[in-house]
PDB file of all heavy atoms in Angstrom:
ATOM      1  N   ARG A 263      16.187  -5.721   8.271  1.00 81.00           N
ATOM      2  CA  ARG A 263      15.770  -4.972   9.451  1.00 81.00           C
ATOM      3  C   ARG A 263      14.500  -4.174   9.141  1.00 81.00           C
ATOM      4  O   ARG A 263      14.408  -3.520   8.122  1.00 81.00           O
ATOM      5  CB  ARG A 263      16.874  -4.003   9.884  1.00 81.00           C
ATOM      6  CG  ARG A 263      16.563  -3.196  11.120  1.00 81.00           C
ATOM      7  CD  ARG A 263      17.771  -2.349  11.523  1.00 81.00           C
ATOM      8  NE  ARG A 263      18.226  -1.473  10.458  1.00 81.00           N
ATOM      9  CZ  ARG A 263      17.731  -0.242  10.264  1.00 81.00           C
ATOM     10  NH1 ARG A 263      16.768   0.216  11.036  1.00 81.00           N
ATOM     11  NH2 ARG A 263      18.199   0.507   9.277  1.00 81.00           N
ATOM     12  N   VAL A 264      13.519  -4.201  10.042  1.00 86.00           N
ATOM     13  CA  VAL A 264      12.286  -3.478   9.879  1.00 86.00           C
ATOM     14  C   VAL A 264      12.456  -2.060  10.379  1.00 86.00           C
ATOM     15  O   VAL A 264      13.023  -1.823  11.457  1.00 86.00           O
ATOM     16  CB  VAL A 264      11.134  -4.183  10.630  1.00 86.00           C
ATOM     17  CG1 VAL A 264       9.828  -3.412  10.492  1.00 86.00           C
ATOM     18  CG2 VAL A 264      10.949  -5.593  10.118  1.00 86.00           C
ATOM     19  N   ALA A 265      11.991  -1.094   9.600  1.00 87.00           N
ATOM     20  CA  ALA A 265      12.142   0.311   9.970  1.00 87.00           C
ATOM     21  C   ALA A 265      10.818   1.018   9.735  1.00 87.00           C
ATOM     22  O   ALA A 265       9.923   0.515   9.034  1.00 87.00           O
ATOM     23  CB  ALA A 265      13.254   0.968   9.164  1.00 87.00           C
ATOM     24  N   PHE A 266      10.696   2.223  10.344  1.00 90.00           N
ATOM     25  CA  PHE A 266       9.451   2.988  10.239  1.00 90.00           C
ATOM     26  C   PHE A 266       9.802   4.433   9.892  1.00 90.00           C
ATOM     27  O   PHE A 266      10.837   4.953  10.320  1.00 90.00           O
ATOM     28  CB  PHE A 266       8.679   2.953  11.577  1.00 90.00           C
ATOM     29  CG  PHE A 266       8.205   1.569  11.964  1.00 90.00           C
ATOM     30  CD1 PHE A 266       9.067   0.691  12.572  1.00 90.00           C
ATOM     31  CD2 PHE A 266       6.915   1.180  11.717  1.00 90.00           C
ATOM     32  CE1 PHE A 266       8.658  -0.585  12.942  1.00 90.00           C
ATOM     33  CE2 PHE A 266       6.489  -0.089  12.075  1.00 90.00           C
ATOM     34  CZ  PHE A 266       7.360  -0.969  12.697  1.00 90.00           C
ATOM     35  N   PHE A 267       8.935   5.074   9.108  1.00 90.00           N
ATOM     36  CA  PHE A 267       9.155   6.445   8.702  1.00 90.00           C
ATOM     37  C   PHE A 267       7.832   7.198   8.739  1.00 90.00           C
ATOM     38  O   PHE A 267       6.836   6.697   8.194  1.00 90.00           O
ATOM     39  CB  PHE A 267       9.756   6.528   7.305  1.00 90.00           C
ATOM     40  CG  PHE A 267      10.433   7.833   6.984  1.00 90.00           C
ATOM     41  CD1 PHE A 267      11.776   7.975   7.184  1.00 90.00           C
ATOM     42  CD2 PHE A 267       9.689   8.899   6.499  1.00 90.00           C
ATOM     43  CE1 PHE A 267      12.397   9.174   6.915  1.00 90.00           C
ATOM     44  CE2 PHE A 267      10.312  10.093   6.234  1.00 90.00           C
ATOM     45  CZ  PHE A 267      11.660  10.244   6.420  1.00 90.00           C
ATOM     46  N   PRO A 268       7.769   8.370   9.359  1.00 92.00           N
ATOM     47  CA  PRO A 268       6.512   9.114   9.405  1.00 92.00           C
ATOM     48  C   PRO A 268       6.125   9.640   8.024  1.00 92.00           C
ATOM     49  O   PRO A 268       6.979  10.058   7.246  1.00 92.00           O
ATOM     50  CB  PRO A 268       6.814  10.256  10.366  1.00 92.00           C
ATOM     51  CG  PRO A 268       8.315  10.405  10.338  1.00 92.00           C
ATOM     52  CD  PRO A 268       8.853   9.049  10.102  1.00 92.00           C
ATOM     53  N   ILE A 269       4.850   9.591   7.698  1.00 92.00           N
ATOM     54  CA  ILE A 269       4.339  10.049   6.401  1.00 92.00           C
ATOM     55  C   ILE A 269       3.155  10.939   6.636  1.00 92.00           C
ATOM     56  O   ILE A 269       2.524  10.929   7.690  1.00 92.00           O
ATOM     57  CB  ILE A 269       3.980   8.842   5.489  1.00 92.00           C
ATOM     58  CG1 ILE A 269       2.995   7.906   6.188  1.00 92.00           C
ATOM     59  CG2 ILE A 269       5.230   8.073   5.069  1.00 92.00           C
ATOM     60  CD1 ILE A 269       2.559   6.742   5.330  1.00 92.00           C
ATOM     61  N   VAL A 270       2.780  11.663   5.588  1.00 91.00           N
ATOM     62  CA  VAL A 270       1.647  12.599   5.652  1.00 91.00           C
ATOM     63  C   VAL A 270       0.376  11.884   5.243  1.00 91.00           C
ATOM     64  O   VAL A 270       0.425  10.803   4.624  1.00 91.00           O
ATOM     65  CB  VAL A 270       1.911  13.816   4.760  1.00 91.00           C
ATOM     66  CG1 VAL A 270       3.132  14.603   5.254  1.00 91.00           C
ATOM     67  CG2 VAL A 270       2.106  13.412   3.308  1.00 91.00           C
ATOM     68  N   ASP A 271      -0.758  12.476   5.537  1.00 91.00           N
ATOM     69  CA  ASP A 271      -2.050  11.873   5.249  1.00 91.00           C
ATOM     70  C   ASP A 271      -2.282  11.708   3.758  1.00 91.00           C
ATOM     71  O   ASP A 271      -2.954  10.773   3.336  1.00 91.00           O
ATOM     72  CB  ASP A 271      -3.177  12.686   5.874  1.00 91.00           C
ATOM     73  CG  ASP A 271      -3.162  12.623   7.398  1.00 91.00           C
ATOM     74  OD1 ASP A 271      -2.655  11.605   7.913  1.00 91.00           O
ATOM     75  OD2 ASP A 271      -3.646  13.554   8.065  1.00 91.00           O
ATOM     76  N   LYS A 272      -1.758  12.659   2.943  1.00 90.00           N
ATOM     77  CA  LYS A 272      -1.950  12.549   1.498  1.00 90.00           C
ATOM     78  C   LYS A 272      -1.321  11.251   0.960  1.00 90.00           C
ATOM     79  O   LYS A 272      -1.931  10.547   0.120  1.00 90.00           O
ATOM     80  CB  LYS A 272      -1.335  13.750   0.821  1.00 90.00           C
ATOM     81  CG  LYS A 272      -1.480  13.714  -0.711  1.00 90.00           C
ATOM     82  CD  LYS A 272      -0.832  14.950  -1.355  1.00 90.00           C
ATOM     83  CE  LYS A 272      -0.965  14.874  -2.874  1.00 90.00           C
ATOM     84  NZ  LYS A 272      -0.374  16.064  -3.509  1.00 90.00           N
ATOM     85  N   LEU A 273      -0.126  10.911   1.456  1.00 92.00           N
ATOM     86  CA  LEU A 273       0.503   9.673   1.024  1.00 92.00           C
ATOM     87  C   LEU A 273      -0.253   8.450   1.502  1.00 92.00           C
ATOM     88  O   LEU A 273      -0.354   7.435   0.811  1.00 92.00           O
ATOM     89  CB  LEU A 273       1.947   9.671   1.499  1.00 92.00           C
ATOM     90  CG  LEU A 273       2.875   8.561   0.909  1.00 92.00           C
ATOM     91  CD1 LEU A 273       2.924   8.704  -0.603  1.00 92.00           C
ATOM     92  CD2 LEU A 273       4.267   8.671   1.505  1.00 92.00           C
ATOM     93  N   VAL A 274      -0.853   8.538   2.699  1.00 92.00           N
ATOM     94  CA  VAL A 274      -1.656   7.431   3.218  1.00 92.00           C
ATOM     95  C   VAL A 274      -2.849   7.190   2.303  1.00 92.00           C
ATOM     96  O   VAL A 274      -3.219   6.055   1.982  1.00 92.00           O
ATOM     97  CB  VAL A 274      -2.110   7.732   4.652  1.00 92.00           C
ATOM     98  CG1 VAL A 274      -3.075   6.659   5.140  1.00 92.00           C
ATOM     99  CG2 VAL A 274      -0.907   7.804   5.584  1.00 92.00           C
ATOM    100  N   THR A 275      -3.484   8.267   1.840  1.00 92.00           N
ATOM    101  CA  THR A 275      -4.630   8.160   0.933  1.00 92.00           C
ATOM    102  C   THR A 275      -4.244   7.462  -0.384  1.00 92.00           C
ATOM    103  O   THR A 275      -4.965   6.594  -0.882  1.00 92.00           O
ATOM    104  CB  THR A 275      -5.202   9.530   0.657  1.00 92.00           C
ATOM    105  OG1 THR A 275      -5.604  10.171   1.893  1.00 92.00           O
ATOM    106  CG2 THR A 275      -6.446   9.424  -0.243  1.00 92.00           C
ATOM    107  N   LEU A 276      -3.094   7.840  -0.931  1.00 92.00           N
ATOM    108  CA  LEU A 276      -2.631   7.215  -2.168  1.00 92.00           C
ATOM    109  C   LEU A 276      -2.285   5.737  -1.949  1.00 92.00           C
ATOM    110  O   LEU A 276      -2.540   4.922  -2.835  1.00 92.00           O
ATOM    111  CB  LEU A 276      -1.402   7.942  -2.680  1.00 92.00           C
ATOM    112  CG  LEU A 276      -1.645   9.401  -3.114  1.00 92.00           C
ATOM    113  CD1 LEU A 276      -0.286  10.067  -3.506  1.00 92.00           C
ATOM    114  CD2 LEU A 276      -2.631   9.474  -4.270  1.00 92.00           C
ATOM    115  N   ILE A 277      -1.740   5.376  -0.791  1.00 93.00           N
ATOM    116  CA  ILE A 277      -1.438   3.974  -0.510  1.00 93.00           C
ATOM    117  C   ILE A 277      -2.722   3.171  -0.379  1.00 93.00           C
ATOM    118  O   ILE A 277      -2.811   2.040  -0.882  1.00 93.00           O
ATOM    119  CB  ILE A 277      -0.580   3.862   0.763  1.00 93.00           C
ATOM    120  CG1 ILE A 277       0.817   4.455   0.526  1.00 93.00           C
ATOM    121  CG2 ILE A 277      -0.477   2.408   1.241  1.00 93.00           C
ATOM    122  CD1 ILE A 277       1.699   4.483   1.745  1.00 93.00           C
ATOM    123  N   HIS A 278      -3.740   3.726   0.258  1.00 93.00           N
ATOM    124  CA  HIS A 278      -5.021   3.017   0.377  1.00 93.00           C
ATOM    125  C   HIS A 278      -5.640   2.813  -1.011  1.00 93.00           C
ATOM    126  O   HIS A 278      -6.257   1.788  -1.274  1.00 93.00           O
ATOM    127  CB  HIS A 278      -5.979   3.808   1.270  1.00 93.00           C
ATOM    128  CG  HIS A 278      -5.591   3.746   2.717  1.00 93.00           C
ATOM    129  ND1 HIS A 278      -6.157   4.542   3.691  1.00 93.00           N
ATOM    130  CD2 HIS A 278      -4.717   2.935   3.374  1.00 93.00           C
ATOM    131  CE1 HIS A 278      -5.628   4.241   4.873  1.00 93.00           C
ATOM    132  NE2 HIS A 278      -4.766   3.274   4.722  1.00 93.00           N
ATOM    133  N   ALA A 279      -5.500   3.801  -1.896  1.00 92.00           N
ATOM    134  CA  ALA A 279      -6.017   3.623  -3.264  1.00 92.00           C
ATOM    135  C   ALA A 279      -5.298   2.489  -3.975  1.00 92.00           C
ATOM    136  O   ALA A 279      -5.902   1.695  -4.718  1.00 92.00           O
ATOM    137  CB  ALA A 279      -5.868   4.938  -4.030  1.00 92.00           C
ATOM    138  N   GLN A 280      -3.973   2.399  -3.795  1.00 92.00           N
ATOM    139  CA  GLN A 280      -3.206   1.280  -4.398  1.00 92.00           C
ATOM    140  C   GLN A 280      -3.657  -0.038  -3.797  1.00 92.00           C
ATOM    141  O   GLN A 280      -3.754  -1.044  -4.513  1.00 92.00           O
ATOM    142  CB  GLN A 280      -1.727   1.502  -4.170  1.00 92.00           C
ATOM    143  CG  GLN A 280      -0.843   0.351  -4.571  1.00 92.00           C
ATOM    144  CD  GLN A 280      -0.883   0.051  -6.052  1.00 92.00           C
ATOM    145  OE1 GLN A 280      -1.326   0.882  -6.864  1.00 92.00           O
ATOM    146  NE2 GLN A 280      -0.419  -1.119  -6.454  1.00 92.00           N
ATOM    147  N   GLN A 281      -3.922  -0.092  -2.496  1.00 92.00           N
ATOM    148  CA  GLN A 281      -4.438  -1.323  -1.897  1.00 92.00           C
ATOM    149  C   GLN A 281      -5.768  -1.752  -2.508  1.00 92.00           C
ATOM    150  O   GLN A 281      -5.993  -2.963  -2.713  1.00 92.00           O
ATOM    151  CB  GLN A 281      -4.570  -1.132  -0.376  1.00 92.00           C
ATOM    152  CG  GLN A 281      -3.236  -1.028   0.362  1.00 92.00           C
ATOM    153  CD  GLN A 281      -3.409  -0.696   1.824  1.00 92.00           C
ATOM    154  OE1 GLN A 281      -4.429  -0.093   2.235  1.00 92.00           O
ATOM    155  NE2 GLN A 281      -2.424  -1.031   2.648  1.00 92.00           N
ATOM    156  N   ASP A 282      -6.622  -0.802  -2.795  1.00 92.00           N
ATOM    157  CA  ASP A 282      -7.900  -1.131  -3.436  1.00 92.00           C
ATOM    158  C   ASP A 282      -7.680  -1.727  -4.809  1.00 92.00           C
ATOM    159  O   ASP A 282      -8.365  -2.661  -5.218  1.00 92.00           O
ATOM    160  CB  ASP A 282      -8.789   0.133  -3.522  1.00 92.00           C
ATOM    161  CG  ASP A 282      -9.238   0.622  -2.168  1.00 92.00           C
ATOM    162  OD1 ASP A 282      -9.233  -0.192  -1.210  1.00 92.00           O
ATOM    163  OD2 ASP A 282      -9.590   1.808  -2.047  1.00 92.00           O
ATOM    164  N   ARG A 283      -6.706  -1.195  -5.574  1.00 91.00           N
ATOM    165  CA  ARG A 283      -6.416  -1.723  -6.901  1.00 91.00           C
ATOM    166  C   ARG A 283      -5.871  -3.147  -6.788  1.00 91.00           C
ATOM    167  O   ARG A 283      -6.192  -4.028  -7.621  1.00 91.00           O
ATOM    168  CB  ARG A 283      -5.424  -0.825  -7.626  1.00 91.00           C
ATOM    169  CG  ARG A 283      -5.983   0.509  -8.056  1.00 91.00           C
ATOM    170  CD  ARG A 283      -5.040   1.234  -8.994  1.00 91.00           C
ATOM    171  NE  ARG A 283      -3.855   1.705  -8.290  1.00 91.00           N
ATOM    172  CZ  ARG A 283      -3.741   2.927  -7.728  1.00 91.00           C
ATOM    173  NH1 ARG A 283      -4.749   3.777  -7.791  1.00 91.00           N
ATOM    174  NH2 ARG A 283      -2.616   3.288  -7.151  1.00 91.00           N
ATOM    175  N   VAL A 284      -5.052  -3.416  -5.781  1.00 90.00           N
ATOM    176  CA  VAL A 284      -4.484  -4.764  -5.617  1.00 90.00           C
ATOM    177  C   VAL A 284      -5.606  -5.713  -5.221  1.00 90.00           C
ATOM    178  O   VAL A 284      -5.643  -6.870  -5.705  1.00 90.00           O
ATOM    179  CB  VAL A 284      -3.352  -4.743  -4.577  1.00 90.00           C
ATOM    180  CG1 VAL A 284      -2.871  -6.169  -4.283  1.00 90.00           C
ATOM    181  CG2 VAL A 284      -2.203  -3.902  -5.051  1.00 90.00           C
ATOM    182  N   ARG A 285      -6.512  -5.311  -4.348  1.00 90.00           N
ATOM    183  CA  ARG A 285      -7.633  -6.211  -3.959  1.00 90.00           C
ATOM    184  C   ARG A 285      -8.510  -6.547  -5.131  1.00 90.00           C
ATOM    185  O   ARG A 285      -8.984  -7.670  -5.284  1.00 90.00           O
ATOM    186  CB  ARG A 285      -8.475  -5.520  -2.872  1.00 90.00           C
ATOM    187  CG  ARG A 285      -7.795  -5.388  -1.517  1.00 90.00           C
ATOM    188  CD  ARG A 285      -8.808  -5.012  -0.462  1.00 90.00           C
ATOM    189  NE  ARG A 285      -8.175  -4.657   0.816  1.00 90.00           N
ATOM    190  CZ  ARG A 285      -7.879  -3.449   1.202  1.00 90.00           C
ATOM    191  NH1 ARG A 285      -8.181  -2.411   0.409  1.00 90.00           N
ATOM    192  NH2 ARG A 285      -7.300  -3.222   2.379  1.00 90.00           N
ATOM    193  N   ALA A 286      -8.731  -5.549  -6.020  1.00 88.00           N
ATOM    194  CA  ALA A 286      -9.549  -5.814  -7.201  1.00 88.00           C
ATOM    195  C   ALA A 286      -8.847  -6.810  -8.153  1.00 88.00           C
ATOM    196  O   ALA A 286      -9.482  -7.607  -8.822  1.00 88.00           O
ATOM    197  CB  ALA A 286      -9.842  -4.505  -7.941  1.00 88.00           C
ATOM    198  N   ARG A 287      -7.518  -6.742  -8.200  1.00 85.00           N
ATOM    199  CA  ARG A 287      -6.772  -7.609  -9.071  1.00 85.00           C
ATOM    200  C   ARG A 287      -6.609  -9.015  -8.501  1.00 85.00           C
ATOM    201  O   ARG A 287      -6.650 -10.008  -9.221  1.00 85.00           O
ATOM    202  CB  ARG A 287      -5.407  -6.998  -9.348  1.00 85.00           C
ATOM    203  CG  ARG A 287      -4.510  -7.785 -10.245  1.00 85.00           C
ATOM    204  CD  ARG A 287      -3.217  -7.035 -10.487  1.00 85.00           C
ATOM    205  NE  ARG A 287      -2.233  -7.897 -11.113  1.00 85.00           N
ATOM    206  CZ  ARG A 287      -0.964  -7.533 -11.281  1.00 85.00           C
ATOM    207  NH1 ARG A 287      -0.555  -6.332 -10.899  1.00 85.00           N
ATOM    208  NH2 ARG A 287      -0.104  -8.352 -11.852  1.00 85.00           N
ATOM    209  N   PHE A 288      -6.405  -9.102  -7.163  1.00 84.00           N
ATOM    210  CA  PHE A 288      -6.234 -10.384  -6.494  1.00 84.00           C
ATOM    211  C   PHE A 288      -7.258 -10.490  -5.372  1.00 84.00           C
ATOM    212  O   PHE A 288      -6.929 -10.140  -4.206  1.00 84.00           O
ATOM    213  CB  PHE A 288      -4.811 -10.514  -5.927  1.00 84.00           C
ATOM    214  CG  PHE A 288      -3.722 -10.422  -6.942  1.00 84.00           C
ATOM    215  CD1 PHE A 288      -2.746  -9.435  -6.863  1.00 84.00           C
ATOM    216  CD2 PHE A 288      -3.677 -11.317  -7.992  1.00 84.00           C
ATOM    217  CE1 PHE A 288      -1.738  -9.367  -7.813  1.00 84.00           C
ATOM    218  CE2 PHE A 288      -2.679 -11.253  -8.948  1.00 84.00           C
ATOM    219  CZ  PHE A 288      -1.715 -10.275  -8.877  1.00 84.00           C
ATOM    220  N   PRO A 289      -8.466 -10.921  -5.663  1.00 83.00           N
ATOM    221  CA  PRO A 289      -9.487 -11.020  -4.588  1.00 83.00           C
ATOM    222  C   PRO A 289      -9.081 -11.959  -3.474  1.00 83.00           C
ATOM    223  O   PRO A 289      -9.494 -11.767  -2.319  1.00 83.00           O
ATOM    224  CB  PRO A 289     -10.739 -11.549  -5.347  1.00 83.00           C
ATOM    225  CG  PRO A 289     -10.499 -11.197  -6.773  1.00 83.00           C
ATOM    226  CD  PRO A 289      -9.011 -11.275  -6.975  1.00 83.00           C
ATOM    227  N   ALA A 290      -8.250 -12.969  -3.750  1.00 79.00           N
ATOM    228  CA  ALA A 290      -7.828 -13.900  -2.713  1.00 79.00           C
ATOM    229  C   ALA A 290      -6.711 -13.328  -1.835  1.00 79.00           C
ATOM    230  O   ALA A 290      -6.363 -13.937  -0.842  1.00 79.00           O
ATOM    231  CB  ALA A 290      -7.348 -15.208  -3.346  1.00 79.00           C
ATOM    232  N   GLY A 291      -6.186 -12.163  -2.182  1.00 82.00           N
ATOM    233  CA  GLY A 291      -5.142 -11.527  -1.389  1.00 82.00           C
ATOM    234  C   GLY A 291      -3.805 -11.590  -2.058  1.00 82.00           C
ATOM    235  O   GLY A 291      -3.519 -12.434  -2.920  1.00 82.00           O
ATOM    236  N   CYS A 292      -2.931 -10.655  -1.654  1.00 86.00           N
ATOM    237  CA  CYS A 292      -1.567 -10.576  -2.210  1.00 86.00           C
ATOM    238  C   CYS A 292      -0.648 -10.033  -1.108  1.00 86.00           C
ATOM    239  O   CYS A 292      -1.064  -9.226  -0.278  1.00 86.00           O
ATOM    240  CB  CYS A 292      -1.526  -9.665  -3.435  1.00 86.00           C
ATOM    241  SG  CYS A 292       0.093  -9.588  -4.249  1.00 86.00           S
ATOM    242  N   GLU A 293       0.596 -10.513  -1.090  1.00 86.00           N
ATOM    243  CA  GLU A 293       1.513 -10.115  -0.062  1.00 86.00           C
ATOM    244  C   GLU A 293       2.089  -8.729  -0.266  1.00 86.00           C
ATOM    245  O   GLU A 293       2.459  -8.063   0.709  1.00 86.00           O
ATOM    246  CB  GLU A 293       2.681 -11.126   0.011  1.00 86.00           C
ATOM    247  CG  GLU A 293       2.283 -12.519   0.431  1.00 86.00           C
ATOM    248  CD  GLU A 293       3.475 -13.474   0.462  1.00 86.00           C
ATOM    249  OE1 GLU A 293       4.555 -12.997   0.126  1.00 86.00           O
ATOM    250  OE2 GLU A 293       3.302 -14.616   0.866  1.00 86.00           O
ATOM    251  N   LEU A 294       2.166  -8.273  -1.502  1.00 88.00           N
ATOM    252  CA  LEU A 294       2.894  -7.054  -1.807  1.00 88.00           C
ATOM    253  C   LEU A 294       1.979  -5.910  -2.176  1.00 88.00           C
ATOM    254  O   LEU A 294       0.890  -6.132  -2.737  1.00 88.00           O
ATOM    255  CB  LEU A 294       3.884  -7.301  -2.958  1.00 88.00           C
ATOM    256  CG  LEU A 294       4.936  -8.418  -2.712  1.00 88.00           C
ATOM    257  CD1 LEU A 294       5.822  -8.537  -3.954  1.00 88.00           C
ATOM    258  CD2 LEU A 294       5.774  -8.087  -1.506  1.00 88.00           C
ATOM    259  N   LEU A 295       2.442  -4.708  -1.903  1.00 91.00           N
ATOM    260  CA  LEU A 295       1.688  -3.517  -2.299  1.00 91.00           C
ATOM    261  C   LEU A 295       1.833  -3.234  -3.790  1.00 91.00           C
ATOM    262  O   LEU A 295       0.922  -2.707  -4.410  1.00 91.00           O
ATOM    263  CB  LEU A 295       2.173  -2.303  -1.477  1.00 91.00           C
ATOM    264  CG  LEU A 295       1.451  -0.980  -1.717  1.00 91.00           C
ATOM    265  CD1 LEU A 295      -0.016  -1.087  -1.291  1.00 91.00           C
ATOM    266  CD2 LEU A 295       2.157   0.162  -0.987  1.00 91.00           C
ATOM    267  N   PHE A 296       2.951  -3.630  -4.362  1.00 89.00           N
ATOM    268  CA  PHE A 296       3.213  -3.414  -5.779  1.00 89.00           C
ATOM    269  C   PHE A 296       3.532  -4.764  -6.434  1.00 89.00           C
ATOM    270  O   PHE A 296       4.683  -5.083  -6.681  1.00 89.00           O
ATOM    271  CB  PHE A 296       4.366  -2.431  -5.990  1.00 89.00           C
ATOM    272  CG  PHE A 296       4.178  -1.097  -5.345  1.00 89.00           C
ATOM    273  CD1 PHE A 296       4.934  -0.697  -4.247  1.00 89.00           C
ATOM    274  CD2 PHE A 296       3.252  -0.227  -5.858  1.00 89.00           C
ATOM    275  CE1 PHE A 296       4.757   0.534  -3.664  1.00 89.00           C
ATOM    276  CE2 PHE A 296       3.036   1.016  -5.281  1.00 89.00           C
ATOM    277  CZ  PHE A 296       3.786   1.386  -4.168  1.00 89.00           C
ATOM    278  N   PRO A 297       2.504  -5.586  -6.710  1.00 86.00           N
ATOM    279  CA  PRO A 297       2.773  -6.904  -7.315  1.00 86.00           C
ATOM    280  C   PRO A 297       3.236  -6.737  -8.753  1.00 86.00           C
ATOM    281  O   PRO A 297       2.917  -5.776  -9.423  1.00 86.00           O
ATOM    282  CB  PRO A 297       1.405  -7.594  -7.247  1.00 86.00           C
ATOM    283  CG  PRO A 297       0.412  -6.474  -7.231  1.00 86.00           C
ATOM    284  CD  PRO A 297       1.078  -5.345  -6.461  1.00 86.00           C
TER     285      PRO A 297
END
């Protein structure tokens, strides 16, 4: 089941930083935030 939870902007910034690290590691793309 898909669910949603409100988060603060600080956590959003940290998630975007993790996405940048994943893009650098897998330029072709990756399905997961924590590969």
Side-chain angles (χ1 to χ4, degrees):
R263 181 176 58 87
V264 179
F266 296 81
F267 199 93
I269 54 178
V270 297
D271 291 334
K272 180 181 179 180
L273 192 58
V274 174
T275 302
L276 295 175
I277 291 176
H278 287 168
Q280 172 65 16
Q281 290 174 336
D282 293 338
R283 289 190 290 268
V284 175
R285 290 192 189 97
R287 181 177 167 189
F288 300 120
C292 184
E293 296 180 357
L294 301 180
L295 182 64
F296 302 110

